[in-house]
Amino acid sequence: MKKGLIRLSSNYLLRQSKLFSTNNRLVFRFCSAKQEKHEFKAETKKLLDIVAKSIYTDKDVFLRELLSNASDALEKQRFLATQKGEQVPSDLEIKIELDEQKRTITIEDSGIGMTKQEMIDNLGTIARSGSKQFLEQVGAQMNDKIIGQFGVGFYSSFIVGDTVEVVSKSDRSEKTYVWVSDGTGTFEISEAKDYFQGRGTKITIHLKPDQAIFSKKTEVLKTIQRYSNFINYPIVVNGERQNIVSAIWVRNKNEITPEDYNKFYEYISNSKLAYKYKLHYSTDAPLSIKALLYIPQTHMEKYGMQMEEFDISLYCKKILIKKNCRELLPHFLRFVKGVVDCEDLPLNISREGYQDTALIAKLKSVVAKRIIKEIESEALRDPANYLAWYQDFQNFIKEGVAMDDEHRNAMTKLLRFQTNKSEDFISLDDYISKLPQGINNIYYYLAPTRQQALTSPYMEPFANSEIPVILTMNHMDEVVFKQINEYSSKKFVNIESDQAEVDKVAQKSTEENEKKEETNVETTIPNDEITPFCLWLKNELNPIISQVQISKRLKTSPAIIVSAISSGMRQVMHAMGQSTDDLKNLTLEINVQNPIIVNLNKVRKSNRVIASLASKQILDGCLLSSGLLRDPKDVVERQHKILNVLLTSEINTPIVEEVGAYREEAVKQKDSKKDDLETEIIIDSDGNPQVVKKNKK
């Protein structure tokens, strides 16, 4: 038996030394004599300990490394057979045998095998990659097949093993050799007999007592499924094949059946629910990418139970690099499931991460754009089917529009809204196509329901207009529109808060109406009374109202609240815990032709108590319409006072026309004898208005 020292590839070590922590105390010795050239040396035992125990995060990664090496050996054998024009061997597979009693795990492949010298060179030299040497010999045609590249994966077996035994037979040698090491810096190699009938490599790890779990089948199967389930060749554990799901993302999509896609989705999603859309594509520019991505038909966030977790895995040549890879997609696409395989990944030495964050950012951008493009294509191909999906996933779309600068324009095309003209959901492009010529705004309004939106005072300028208004019931849309700001050179305008732009629409509508009908002077407040009335109203409603102005937009409603901050934005700010001073310094727009406002102006001269109550009731209605009324207590108390006046009043003339039949009936039933009585409204000790009757003088 021949003994040898485990060496290291010094050139490689120098290139990779930046990956080792200085805490590992990697020591370089060199001679400092003048003009003398020497090679760097290292303490081999210490270096082997670093490679085996300090590079890898998880102990189970040793199995991934050995299975990857076995896959490379099989791939090399397949390639050589093809190059020689021979039939590809049918026995290409990986076998794993477990023995809990002996505390061993054995990984055997029927691949290319190694000669004695190759075992000395490849196993006895740290950081010398046999796969890399092979690629240099055969050229770039095998780049996408061979996994190994660093020459350190084999030594991860010493993470869990006391002793590692390697037996190998190559077709290029008549003899079989066995290599044995305990990881202390030396190895033994000798000729072996009765190990192989053919070629291949068998690695037996004698596990440390505290790592005996890796001789259990359940643990090994879990590790295979996590890292190596998509290796091309069969993995047989104790006589039973495990990797029955193939890496269909690397295959030509024309060869894959719908059933194959369904089974793979069930596998990665752990769900029997069907997916909505799928994206299977490959590209070589700007990066070499093979991806299979699924868009589900439902999600958990809509139930308010939990946030969707990233369920997309990053692979390199079918070997898992990172599961649930958050860096692979923008946050708003967290509902996407699937795999992305990128051969250009600059992996670190442990292959548990990557070195080039700029390249990962590029990969993230490329994949996200491709997903968005696919969703847009499906929306155009089958609008009804897309709309059904959109109803459930619109919050993800809107999150992308609001939060992601890079993809905002593309995501905006996926938005769908109703308008006051139709209950059909349309895109912004469709909305713009319906705008009259010369309109440069996209108008929208937020309300709790569609019916409330249509009957809102804010909609009055658009009631008889050809201009459509987007109706939305989600207060987050306010943020979405603010972030978009403009689309196709058209500005978003909230008809509730953008007074100047809405007044332009109202002015045009007013001019058209004036041509058709004349204003009745008796149904409006005289010009000389408008200013005094506005000042009185401002004083009554202070501090909530700081300004009263004549409305150009209102046609039938008595008044509305106007604020620079819309109700939708106020809701967003409240949800974020920000104070907005809702009930302070607001502007009240009044319709001087509305009967309520006209009568209020008259009543304020004769009965200030009733006028004050009425003005506050009008304000309550305006606050309610604008979504600013949060505490109904004062409103309810005021309504009770007004009802008390209405129900006990004996005034001959109905106070409000809307009292209708109830008031008319009361008038008819009056006793003519009561004409000798007069009524007066006074405020009692509790501050409530009371009606008292007195004899006429």
Side-chain angles (χ1 to χ4, degrees):
M1 179 176 288
K2 183 177 179 180
K3 289 189 176 182
L5 291 173
I6 296 178
R7 299 168 295 166
L8 66 148
S9 172
S10 57
N11 289 337
Y12 181 85
L13 180 58
L14 282 174
R15 292 195 304 270
Q16 296 294 329
S17 61
K18 62 183 179 180
L19 300 176
F20 298 120
S21 169
T22 55
N23 294 331
N24 289 327
R25 299 174 62 192
L26 182 61
V27 181
F28 292 106
R29 298 174 181 166
F30 59 93
C31 180
S32 59
K34 259 190 173 180
Q35 297 181 342
E36 291 185 6
K37 185 180 290 185
H38 296 266
E39 289 189 359
F40 286 97
K41 297 179 181 180
E43 294 180 356
T44 306
K45 180 180 178 181
K46 184 64 176 177
L47 177 62
L48 185 59
D49 191 58
I50 290 172
V51 171
K53 300 177 182 177
S54 302
I55 292 178
Y56 299 99
T57 304
D58 299 318
K59 292 181 178 180
D60 61 358
V61 81
F62 84 93
L63 187 56
R64 182 198 69 181
E65 295 296 290
L66 297 183
L67 289 174
S68 297
N69 290 346
S71 175
D72 284 350
L74 295 169
E75 195 59 48
K76 293 171 189 176
Q77 182 62 33
R78 184 201 65 79
F79 176 79
L80 292 177
T82 303
Q83 289 292 91
K84 294 177 183 178
E86 300 174 355
Q87 186 175 359
V88 176
S90 59
D91 63 341
L92 298 180
E93 66 177 3
I94 302 170
K95 295 179 181 178
I96 298 178
E97 294 294 333
L98 304 170
D99 192 325
E100 292 188 45
Q101 297 297 324
K102 295 181 179 179
R103 214 168 60 236
T104 62
I105 176 173
T106 301
I107 299 100
E108 178 182 346
D109 68 72
S110 54
I112 193 172
M114 291 179 284
T115 64
K116 177 182 178 181
Q117 189 59 46
E118 287 173 337
M119 293 179 76
I120 294 173
D121 292 340
N122 295 339
L123 304 182
T125 306
I126 300 173
R128 184 183 189 276
S129 172
S131 293
K132 186 175 181 181
Q133 301 293 324
F134 181 82
L135 286 175
E136 290 175 354
Q137 294 173 12
V138 303
Q141 54 188 313
M142 289 286 290
N143 277 345
D144 61 336
K145 306 291 185 183
I146 299 299
I147 301 168
Q149 54 181 307
F150 295 113
V152 296
F154 166 74
Y155 304 101
S156 64
S157 55
F158 290 107
I159 298 174
V160 297
D162 280 327
T163 303
V164 178
E165 179 184 281
V166 181
V167 179
S168 192
K169 169 70 171 65
S170 171
D171 284 341
R172 289 157 291 148
S173 173
E174 296 180 356
K175 296 181 179 181
T176 302
Y177 292 90
V178 57
W179 181 100
V180 181
S181 177
D182 60 2
T184 59
T186 62
F187 64 87
E188 295 178 350
I189 189 167
S190 60
E191 184 178 346
K193 296 180 180 179
D194 301 326
Y195 270 95
F196 281 104
Q197 297 297 322
R199 65 182 186 277
T201 299
K202 177 188 288 186
I203 301 174
T204 300
I205 302 175
H206 298 269
L207 297 166
K208 299 174 183 178
D210 61 344
Q211 303 300 325
I213 190 173
F214 292 107
S215 64
K216 297 181 181 294
K217 186 176 181 180
T218 53
E219 187 67 23
V220 169
L221 295 184
K222 184 173 68 175
T223 304
I224 291 172
Q225 186 174 26
R226 179 181 180 187
Y227 293 113
S228 308
N229 209 41
F230 300 112
I231 282 178
N232 275 344
Y233 301 96
I235 300 176
V236 180
V237 181
N238 287 0
E240 183 179 353
R241 180 171 179 178
Q242 300 303 319
N243 57 335
I244 56 176
V245 180
S246 65
I248 64 175
W249 69 83
V250 299
R251 291 163 52 189
N252 189 318
K253 57 185 177 182
N254 295 326
E255 302 172 356
I256 304 173
T257 65
E259 184 180 2
D260 292 332
Y261 283 122
N262 291 336
K263 286 183 177 179
F264 190 76
Y265 179 69
E266 288 180 11
Y267 172 77
I268 64 172
S269 66
N270 293 316
S271 171
K272 291 292 184 180
L273 292 176
Y275 58 86
K276 188 68 173 183
Y277 304 123
K278 74 173 185 303
L279 171 59
H280 186 187
Y281 83 104
S282 61
T283 181
D284 294 324
L287 297 170
S288 178
I289 301 172
K290 294 180 177 66
L292 178 54
L293 304 169
Y294 293 92
I295 297 171
Q297 61 177 334
T298 188
H299 62 91
M300 297 302 295
E301 287 189 23
K302 70 177 182 178
Y303 302 112
M305 297 172 59
Q306 63 187 44
M307 180 171 286
E308 285 287 311
E309 295 184 1
F310 282 84
D311 195 3
I312 185 165
S313 299
L314 178 61
Y315 284 75
C316 182
K317 301 176 183 178
K318 293 180 288 186
I319 298 298
L320 178 68
I321 304 303
K322 189 170 185 179
K323 191 174 178 63
N324 307 125
C325 188
R326 300 176 64 89
E327 299 87 356
L328 204 51
L329 286 177
H331 190 256
F332 68 88
L333 289 178
R334 57 190 176 277
F335 58 86
V336 177
K337 305 178 185 296
V339 298
V340 174
D341 197 318
C342 181
E343 297 175 14
D344 298 327
L345 282 180
L347 302 176
N348 61 27
I349 196 170
S350 69
R351 293 197 296 182
E352 295 177 292
Y354 24 78
Q355 299 175 13
D356 192 342
T357 54
L359 188 142
I360 292 297
K362 181 66 176 177
L363 178 61
K364 175 181 179 180
S365 176
V366 170
V367 174
K369 288 178 180 177
R370 193 64 183 81
I371 292 172
I372 296 169
K373 182 180 178 182
E374 181 67 20
I375 296 176
E376 183 183 3
S377 297
E378 290 290 348
L380 295 174
R381 186 181 64 83
D382 190 341
N385 192 36
Y386 169 74
L387 185 59
W389 176 84
Y390 176 82
Q391 300 292 356
D392 268 355
F393 286 81
Q394 59 178 303
N395 285 346
F396 294 99
I397 304 297
K398 293 172 181 178
E399 180 184 334
V401 175
M403 307 298 291
D404 196 297
D405 294 339
E406 180 182 1
H407 303 291
R408 178 171 297 129
N409 290 338
M411 293 297 291
T412 300
K413 294 180 180 294
L414 303 179
L415 295 172
R416 297 293 185 270
F417 299 101
Q418 289 182 328
T419 71
N420 61 327
K421 304 297 182 183
S422 171
E423 294 187 27
D424 295 335
F425 283 82
I426 62 174
S427 67
L428 291 177
D429 288 324
D430 290 335
Y431 173 89
I432 291 173
S433 69
K434 301 177 186 300
L435 285 175
Q437 189 173 2
I439 301 299
N440 296 316
N441 294 324
I442 298 175
Y443 297 94
Y444 68 94
Y445 179 57
L446 172 69
T449 67
R450 176 180 176 84
Q451 186 59 34
Q452 285 179 265
L454 293 175
T455 57
S456 169
Y458 295 98
M459 287 294 296
E460 290 186 13
F462 300 87
N464 299 315
S465 172
E466 296 180 0
I467 301 174
V469 177
I470 290 174
L471 303 182
T472 173
M473 293 80 200
N474 187 340
H475 63 267
M476 288 304 298
D477 288 338
E478 183 73 43
V479 179
V480 171
F481 294 140
K482 292 295 183 185
Q483 287 296 99
I484 302 174
N485 192 31
E486 285 190 5
Y487 182 76
S488 294
S489 300
K490 297 189 184 297
K491 180 183 177 182
F492 282 87
V493 171
N494 188 332
I495 66 172
E496 177 189 347
S497 58
D498 200 329
Q499 180 181 353
E501 293 297 333
V502 176
D503 281 348
K504 293 178 183 178
V505 177
Q507 184 65 32
K508 184 177 180 180
S509 176
T510 301
E511 292 174 355
E512 292 177 353
N513 289 335
E514 286 177 349
K515 295 177 182 179
K516 300 178 182 179
E517 56 186 28
E518 295 182 359
T519 303
N520 187 344
V521 178
E522 295 182 359
T523 61
T524 186
I525 298 177
N527 290 335
D528 60 341
E529 295 184 15
I530 289 179
T531 300
F533 176 67
C534 290
L535 291 173
W536 171 83
L537 201 54
K538 174 184 173 182
N539 184 63
E540 287 291 327
L541 304 179
N542 187 58
I544 298 176
I545 299 299
S546 62
Q547 183 179 357
V548 178
Q549 60 188 32
I550 308 304
S551 177
K552 297 179 181 178
R553 69 175 89 182
L554 295 178
K555 300 295 186 293
T556 59
S557 299
I560 57 172
I561 291 290
V562 178
S563 173
I565 304 177
S566 67
S567 59
M569 186 57 69
R570 290 176 188 274
Q571 291 180 48
V572 173
M573 296 173 71
H574 274 286
M576 297 172 63
Q578 299 181 16
S579 176
T580 57
D581 289 331
D582 285 347
L583 301 182
K584 185 183 289 187
N585 298 326
L586 301 175
T587 298
L588 182 69
E589 278 191 16
I590 59 172
N591 179 4
V592 295
Q593 296 180 4
N594 181 273
I596 294 176
I597 298 298
V598 173
N599 289 331
L600 178 61
N601 179 53
K602 295 176 181 178
V603 172
R604 75 179 176 89
K605 303 171 188 176
S606 59
N607 196 324
R608 290 185 175 272
V609 174
I610 291 295
S612 179
L613 283 172
S615 65
K616 291 179 174 62
Q617 180 65 21
I618 291 171
L619 176 61
D620 291 340
C622 294
L623 293 174
L624 185 62
S625 296
S626 60
L628 294 175
L629 190 59
R630 303 191 182 280
D631 186 1
K633 180 176 177 293
D634 292 339
V635 178
V636 173
E637 289 181 357
R638 190 175 298 115
Q639 286 179 343
H640 289 167
K641 292 177 182 180
I642 294 175
L643 286 173
N644 189 35
V645 172
L646 288 174
L647 294 173
T648 60
S649 175
E650 297 292 334
I651 300 175
N652 291 331
T653 306
I655 298 175
V656 183
E657 184 179 349
E658 281 74 5
V659 173
Y662 295 102
R663 187 61 191 167
E664 292 175 5
E665 184 65 21
V667 172
K668 290 178 182 178
Q669 293 179 1
K670 284 184 177 181
D671 190 349
S672 57
K673 294 182 180 180
K674 293 182 180 180
D675 289 344
D676 294 334
L677 300 176
E678 65 179 4
T679 61
E680 181 181 351
I681 298 176
I682 63 172
I683 303 298
D684 62 19
S685 59
D686 295 326
N688 295 316
Q690 299 291 336
V691 178
V692 296
K693 291 181 286 185
K694 295 181 179 180
N695 291 322
K696 290 183 180 180
K697 296 180 180 180

